[in-house]
Amino acid sequence: MSEVSLQPQQVRDAVRAALAEDLGLAGDITTNAIIVADVVGEAVIAARQPGVIAGLALAEAAFCELDADVRFKAMVTDGDAVQPGDIVARVAGKTRALLTAERVALNFLGHLSGVATFTRAYADAIAHTSARICCTRKTTPGLRAFEKYAVRCGGGMNHRFGLFDAVLIKDNHIAAAGGVSAAIEKARGAVGHLVKIEVEVDTLAQLDEVLRHPVDAILLDNMTPAQLREAAAIARAVNPRIILEASGGVTLETVRGIAETGVDLISSGALTHSVKTLDVGFDFQSETLF
Amino acid sequence: MSEVSLQPQQVRDAVRAALAEDLGLAGDITTNAIIVADVVGEAVIAARQPGVIAGLALAEAAFCELDADVRFKAMVTDGDAVQPGDIVARVAGKTRALLTAERVALNFLGHLSGVATFTRAYADAIAHTSARICCTRKTTPGLRAFEKYAVRCGGGMNHRFGLFDAVLIKDNHIAAAGGVSAAIEKARGAVGHLVKIEVEVDTLAQLDEVLRHPVDAILLDNMTPAQLREAAAIARAVNPRIILEASGGVTLETVRGIAETGVDLISSGALTHSVKTLDVGFDFQSETLF
Amino acid sequence: MSEVSLQPQQVRDAVRAALAEDLGLAGDITTNAIIVADVVGEAVIAARQPGVIAGLALAEAAFCELDADVRFKAMVTDGDAVQPGDIVARVAGKTRALLTAERVALNFLGHLSGVATFTRAYADAIAHTSARICCTRKTTPGLRAFEKYAVRCGGGMNHRFGLFDAVLIKDNHIAAAGGVSAAIEKARGAVGHLVKIEVEVDTLAQLDEVLRHPVDAILLDNMTPAQLREAAAIARAVNPRIILEASGGVTLETVRGIAETGVDLISSGALTHSVKTLDVGFDFQSETLF
Amino acid sequence: MSEVSLQPQQVRDAVRAALAEDLGLAGDITTNAIIVADVVGEAVIAARQPGVIAGLALAEAAFCELDADVRFKAMVTDGDAVQPGDIVARVAGKTRALLTAERVALNFLGHLSGVATFTRAYADAIAHTSARICCTRKTTPGLRAFEKYAVRCGGGMNHRFGLFDAVLIKDNHIAAAGGVSAAIEKARGAVGHLVKIEVEVDTLAQLDEVLRHPVDAILLDNMTPAQLREAAAIARAVNPRIILEASGGVTLETVRGIAETGVDLISSGALTHSVKTLDVGFDFQSETLF
Amino acid sequence: MSEVSLQPQQVRDAVRAALAEDLGLAGDITTNAIIVADVVGEAVIAARQPGVIAGLALAEAAFCELDADVRFKAMVTDGDAVQPGDIVARVAGKTRALLTAERVALNFLGHLSGVATFTRAYADAIAHTSARICCTRKTTPGLRAFEKYAVRCGGGMNHRFGLFDAVLIKDNHIAAAGGVSAAIEKARGAVGHLVKIEVEVDTLAQLDEVLRHPVDAILLDNMTPAQLREAAAIARAVNPRIILEASGGVTLETVRGIAETGVDLISSGALTHSVKTLDVGFDFQSETLF
Amino acid sequence: MSEVSLQPQQVRDAVRAALAEDLGLAGDITTNAIIVADVVGEAVIAARQPGVIAGLALAEAAFCELDADVRFKAMVTDGDAVQPGDIVARVAGKTRALLTAERVALNFLGHLSGVATFTRAYADAIAHTSARICCTRKTTPGLRAFEKYAVRCGGGMNHRFGLFDAVLIKDNHIAAAGGVSAAIEKARGAVGHLVKIEVEVDTLAQLDEVLRHPVDAILLDNMTPAQLREAAAIARAVNPRIILEASGGVTLETVRGIAETGVDLISSGALTHSVKTLDVGFDFQSETLF
């Protein structure tokens, strides 16, 4: 996972916004009233559930933003699997900074690790096939870059980032253009040479029509495994290099069957729109840890 | 629900940020390539699952941001329950605006309706008691105000908004202060007269100690229903007006038993940190709707 | 005063905005034309009037923003009283940074020390009573967090920070709700359990009515000391723990008489809306100071 | 005063920031709990003290920001003098918007009218002379453009806006440059042809030296009226078109004597750094006003 | 050209930033001093050179930002060719708004029309071939989206928008990866299925190696027309659908020869990094125009 | 050139915006996929054309923003002339940071060096006269401060920065005011004492009229050298200290003739609105350089 990375500015901006949301104008009135400014302390961040970690850079930044001298020592790497009790990171610095940033750090870490953990479950279920699990644009507003990063940490692939970086032609576009052919031609004429074109189809009849045109990928929506298998056979016969994506009805129960149909990608909005946080605890301690 | 409301600037800023995230610099290259700029159309937003709606203002703003002349007609109000097939809103305007804003509108609406739906399930389960379900600071970074609004739409109560608007003294604060008494006194001396103080306790022994001091609320963490019942009896005997909050191990299965112990509030991070989106569909149509 | 503190990000943002206001696009054209870039120098910030200092962190940040290597050595702490001639801080670094940031640093320091000084005068005048002086929402737009901090440095208390962190029911709310009782009930039902409710009353008749309801605090507006004394007696008889706040007609001449009536708090908008800057000088020097 | 104006974007940005400061994430929890969303109402803004009004555009924007349909009818113009009881503006719209924006509107209006009122007092005191009162860079951080506008509303002149739009050479610059002559030459060589140069002098000896160089204005700092008179005579003899500014020790008592010395401008930081708010009331009413 | 479009928020933000840059805190002090606030007027924007127009939406927004009631009537569409004297737009509204926004409007319009005009010259020169002219990432910082839009208005194609939306493997990447094959595999494994991969080659030997791998496009850098022709023949023989891009030494003199070699695209940084503004005049008039 | 400088915050903000534009949400997907995170490398920035360098601080900031430990060693200073092959800067740090920031760094450096180079050509052409070349407000939106800085690096002077820092009265202002005299009086009465006034004239008749009023500078627009010579003689006779600026038809061919007419300044929009980038290369290297 070591090559996956977030931009520093992106991390800083997101953490600052989250801290501002939690601190308001008046700050942590409990901690500031009770904890003396110069006291230092240490804490351990540990997993309370099995899962896959993602978002360590955001957790670290939350503490450092409040105390530039905080030492944050990650004991695992984003993408690593953890078991209950596993130490994820140790953090030492001003006690005020530790207690005040704790919730923001855990909110990011828990949410993104939740995404990675869910993704990993899908990825493991289809590891015996050549299919890959992949996210969608059904992300939490404001967190897309981080959630797509967490999907990669979990072993998934990223679909397009937004409306701007690839063409995905759906039924409304086709209807408005007056047919698949016109829609594809219009798109091809308007976008740059490094933009790929994918077309969504619901039926084998639509698939046949799309295959008459030069497209890069086809999204097979809401088909049964049997239909997917047939669609894959038809498509590969016409264009062996076409990319086939399946979507609709994807669950941990169904994903294996879908993957075995021979599609390249299986996309699921649930990876990012229905996230269960990974339970990660923050244990403040008095002994020196590192 | 009619009194619950969001600030217009808050809605606009969140929607603009989400659109920027989805549109990037180049915009919706598919729609712009295929749909002629002046064409208008209409769409229906309908529930595909039973649930409680929240976030209509954000959905409306997403469309209006791209076409100031969009007409958005909500058929339900935030806080209303819907059944599969129920029409949530009708929207008419430039086809480009409708198709481009669709995902941002649904991402907000699905997420917040998910929060409201989950909250309503808890609220219904304890409706026969005087206890109320309530959220925490375990919210999605950047969406706290909206998620807390959705909790209210679902019939829940809001805990403090952040670290700035109430004092919540936890074990680390007590340890650092050298005891409950010192912690409470320090807090009371530092904060304004309109700030309430709540103290978290894990045991009945701690409860006894806290009850010797003038606090507004006590958070009973990780206690069994039997312990909660005993704690409530002890606390009410000392201070009949004290507010008692239970937290820890709260699920749809356990919440009824907790509520029947006599606590005032039951707080659950899951309301906002483990949200399952409410499935809401967007059906573009050619007929005129309104 | 050591527990009172400002958030680092808050300080940085305010100082950057103030520098941008003073520097525009072209910067300090006088200093840049005349002072060579690498020359270093030193300066002393000294009080020219007796007063109470507040805002050192903002002054420091102003210099550091322009030269990260500036050494700023505060000789007093926020909340300390100073006499004319007392050295407040010494600062050494690039001469350009010192001369360019001087005015922004002093504008913050003078204004906030003015708030602290004014507050201290009130606080001293009522130090023999249990009453405390407290600020309002009548603050300078954009500076509320800093002015409320300065009030604390001066020995005052903070009222609510904004419209968001406590309920204050005034006559217009009562009229709109159709009575005190309805207004209080509506508020209590809508806000979280950690939000306090204060009600403003102008007459003893209104006070009687409010005392029938469970509220946390009562604002006694524009009453004479005699009326305040009577009001306090009535209120304490009904609810010994109720918080009583007096407002209206508060001056350095009247505040002692008001404080002796037994109220808990005396609020005055003048602490922040009619501030006289504390005269603090900036003396650039050639000798090395530290 | 009709030609003085503020930029719309400037007004909008300042008002939005001030509202955000007052509303936080949760908004006006009192008003939202008690006042039904659709109820409309009216209010009168009236002077409670004699003074000069400034900042009507900011007050109007505060209400409009929360309810785009608010009707705000100014009964006076910025720069007009008012007496106690004079109606400054009438405002009608959603009751929630009126009550929620009231404080932000009045904070701006009171502060800026305070600046205008104070300035007018100075301007009136020297109206029999050709001297003009003028502000400095000693402004409230974040409000410079508005305070300088208010100074103009009060009949004063604006000094340079910031460090960027004119050269003002002070003793530290002269010392660093190795003399007045070198400092002026360096400045003249570095700045554009539309930038004026003013030099500060404390003594008649310094004045003599400066007058040997082509400068646009001279700031005579901390001189007695007698010294100012002599300085003016000397300077006018050398350069009849030179602009002479006096500063230091300017109060309402001393300003007349200073103005009668023949200087062109008298600058005073107190116009903006020691502002007493103008008391302006907000009376919510049930009758229809316009 | 009618399908090419800019996002409204993008236009508004860019225009507001440009106005802020030109207006500073004090605004248009000349116009505000001389022109009465309510006076209205009209103006004509006309071409003074032959060229291609781009950026009308930005010009319109500049005027509307200062006077929401401005009527702006474009007489041509972005992408239209104009001759000297052709009227580009008519604008009527507050005279102050017209004179104050003029420069910002023309700075955008002139610059972007310059890009479109330059692009059109290239496009015309190669119109007899199937090759298309295309831009690069060598854009003016802050204006990329607008410049890429102007390239499309001029008849050019867009290369990738940034580092985020396509893979372009250069020599440094290949060296770091230890060969073309490794670099392509790493990229293919890391990016989503809708991301294209282009590889830059300088020699026919490199071309041979790249053609052994599945890539979407090849950038032939700094080759002579003869080399390009040979490269195209080789590449087409291996992969008839590969996209071939030529770059390096592209001028209006050389572009025809390059286009005739059979490449698909010719990219030139000069389209956006060496722009000659299109001379567009603003003639203020007293007669009513529309 | 050592006294010319940019503000650090200005540089940081511009570079961050440019990086955000190039990196989007997903970052440099090519480099991140292929280059291992911890690998370090070095590169040389070298001139490929003769020219004058400007913008080194922006180039440095681009690399440092992505890797705080980057060492950037400028081998020349802004304002220095370079020949093809001259090394401008050496940079060492994380390879990812070097490759990702390269384009942003060069886009700034090339553009601003282009401005400086063009300015230097004009400055050299008129070096034998006392006239100076000077820029206008015809700058690239968003880059004004940097382009005006580059003009100074090239040996040119800056005209006013924006509409806010000097008065320039044009024909439309004069017409609206009802004559030159009224326009000048209105302006003089409205602006501060440190604001200069320049008036634009097209004819000798207009010049005569303007000279009857006290103005600081006169802009002689679109006059032939012969007319300029006559205008200068007339103006100097009336007011020997008046500043005379010529504009219109300024090219490298005509500028010498214009300069020899005796005007003080020659302004040209082309310095900033029709910039040819200076070709500066970035050569990544494996050997250690410093």
Side-chain angles (χ1 to χ4, degrees), chain C residues 173-278:
Chain C
H173 298 112
I174 293 169
V180 166
S181 175
I184 294 171
E185 269 167 40
K186 283 194 172 194
R188 193 67 278 164
V191 301
H193 69 283
L194 288 184
V195 176
K196 283 196 179 174
I197 296 179
E198 181 167 7
V199 182
E200 178 180 324
V201 303
D202 296 320
T203 64
L204 296 181
Q206 290 174 331
L207 174 64
D208 280 338
E209 192 180 354
V210 170
L211 284 169
R212 284 185 219 118
H213 305 282
V215 300
D216 299 289
I218 297 178
L219 170 55
L220 305 163
D221 194 37
N222 280 321
M223 293 190 178
T224 63
Q227 289 171 313
L228 287 171
R229 203 176 303 266
E230 186 177 353
I234 293 168
R236 304 277 188 229
V238 175
N239 179 354
R241 291 179 59 185
I242 195 120
I243 298 167
L244 297 177
E245 174 189 353
S247 70
V250 180
T251 66
L252 274 175
E253 287 70 41
T254 63
V255 71
R256 167 187 278 260
I258 297 172
E260 292 172 346
T261 64
V263 296
D264 301 294
L265 292 151
I266 303 168
S267 60
S268 166
L271 295 186
T272 53
H273 73 42
S274 294
V275 182
K276 194 177 164 310
T277 194
L278 184 74

Side-chain angles (χ1 to χ4, degrees), chain C residues 18-43:
Chain C
L19 286 169
E21 189 182 51
D22 202 21
L23 292 169
L25 292 178
D28 183 349
I29 56 177
T30 307
T31 296
N32 291 347
I34 296 174
I35 312 287
V36 177
D38 290 335
V39 170
V40 295
E42 306 183 2

Side-chain angles (χ1 to χ4, degrees), chain C residues 140-162:
Chain C
T140 311
L143 298 184
R144 183 169 292 173
F146 303 112
E147 291 182 340
K148 287 192 171 271
Y149 166 80
V151 164
R152 295 201 300 280
C153 291
M157 298 291 283
N158 288 161
H159 212 292
R160 57 177 180 166
F161 253 72

Side-chain angles (χ1 to χ4, degrees), chain C residues 57-100:
Chain C
L58 291 145
E60 178 173 8
F63 296 107
C64 294
E65 194 62 39
L66 297 184
D67 174 9
D69 296 327
V70 154
R71 283 174 301 147
F72 182 95
K73 190 171 178 184
M75 309 304 287
V76 298
T77 301
D78 277 1
D80 283 355
V82 291
Q83 294 303 319
D86 282 0
I87 295 181
V88 172
R90 298 174 185 280
V91 54
K94 296 256 176 63
T95 297
R96 281 189 177 185
L98 300 192
L99 297 184
T100 299

Side-chain angles (χ1 to χ4, degrees), chain C residues 22 137 144 163 173 273 277, chain D residues 22 137 144 163 273 277:
Chain C
D22 202 21
R137 285 171 46 244
R144 183 169 292 173
L163 294 165
H173 298 112
H273 73 42
T277 194
Chain D
D22 203 21
R137 284 172 46 245
R144 184 170 291 174
L163 294 166
H273 73 43
T277 194

Side-chain angles (χ1 to χ4, degrees), chain E residues 108-121:
Chain E
F108 276 115
L109 194 59
H111 182 77
L112 297 180
S113 298
V115 172
T117 300
F118 199 21
T119 304
R120 182 65 54 87

Side-chain angles (χ1 to χ4, degrees), chain A residues 41-45 63 89-93 98 282-285 287 289-290:
Chain A
E42 306 183 2
V44 162
I45 298 176
F63 296 108
R90 297 175 186 278
V91 53
L98 300 192
F282 179 88
D283 301 306
F284 188 79
Q285 307 188 319
E287 314 89 89
L289 294 167
F290 57 103

